[in-house]
Amino acid sequence: MSNPINNAIVNETVAHNVYFEGKVQSLGLETEKGKATLGVMKKGTYVFSTSSPEKMIVISGSMKVKLADEYQVYNAQEEFDVVAGSSFEVSCDQDVAYLCYYG
């Protein structure tokens, strides 16, 4: 059986981010669109801060998001943008999977 990893070419790791006592976790990756994270959120309410613009895409489940003092529900395959230097609240009534692009 051959080793699928070519150690001479690749020496990278996947970033694993853990927030809110493990209830929100993500894996960092580089994509053709730039830096991104693929993550999950357990049922709950969370407040996130941004340092760069973010595009959040809901993969499965739904989340109620508060942006600029307005709430909106985003379901699977829907997306929203968050401006840099802001914060936003996310409320999940069920487990949610998401993809977030930065920059």
Side-chain angles (χ1 to χ4, degrees):
M1 191 166 164
S2 65
N3 185 348
I5 299 172
N6 184 338
N7 291 329
I9 297 172
V10 178
N11 188 15
E12 297 180 12
T13 61
V14 175
H16 179 208
N17 306 300
V18 179
Y19 308 97
F20 304 102
E21 300 173 347
K23 294 179 182 175
V24 177
Q25 297 189 33
S26 66
L27 298 175
L29 63 150
E30 288 291 331
T31 73
E32 68 279 354
K33 294 182 181 182
K35 183 179 174 184
T37 55
L38 180 62
V40 293
M41 294 182 200
K42 299 297 285 179
K43 180 179 176 181
T45 299
Y46 312 99
V47 177
F48 298 94
S49 297
T50 65
S51 58
S52 64
E54 298 183 10
K55 177 177 289 298
M56 294 279 292
I57 303 167
V58 180
I59 296 172
S60 75
S62 67
M63 57 176 72
K64 183 178 178 183
V65 179
K66 182 180 181 185
L67 289 167
D69 295 327
E70 250 183 70
Y71 286 96
Q72 186 168 342
V73 174
Y74 295 92
N75 297 302
Q77 308 309 311
E78 294 182 329
E79 61 186 55
F80 60 94
D81 294 308
V82 184
V83 298
S86 66
S87 63
F88 63 104
E89 180 180 294
V90 174
S91 182
C92 305
D93 291 336
Q94 59 187 329
D95 293 352
V96 173
Y98 67 90
L99 176 60
C100 180
Y101 291 104
Y102 299 92

